[in-house]
Amino acid sequence: MRPQPPAERLPGGGIGLVLYFIGAVVTVVRARSYAHIPFPLVYAAPVAASLVVL
């Protein structure tokens, strides 16, 4: 019996953070507080960039 190759590491934490910040943007849009949209996007940008690098 041949051993199974190790499972690839999935960036679960990064995906969770991206979903969290998408939810934050959706909440801001639903509240019609459009001036506050850049704030969650500033924090989401490095997280999304790190997922692209992976």
Side-chain angles (χ1 to χ4, degrees):
M1 192 182 248
R2 291 172 44 184
Q4 294 289 336
E8 291 186 32
R9 293 183 134 184
L10 297 176
I15 292 171
L17 280 174
V18 168
L19 292 176
Y20 174 80
F21 287 119
I22 288 173
V25 171
V26 169
T27 302
V28 169
V29 169
R30 286 188 59 174
R32 295 184 181 152
S33 181
Y34 302 114
H36 296 282
I37 290 176
F39 296 114
L41 292 178
V42 168
Y43 292 106
V47 174
S50 70
L51 286 177
V52 171
V53 170
L54 290 176

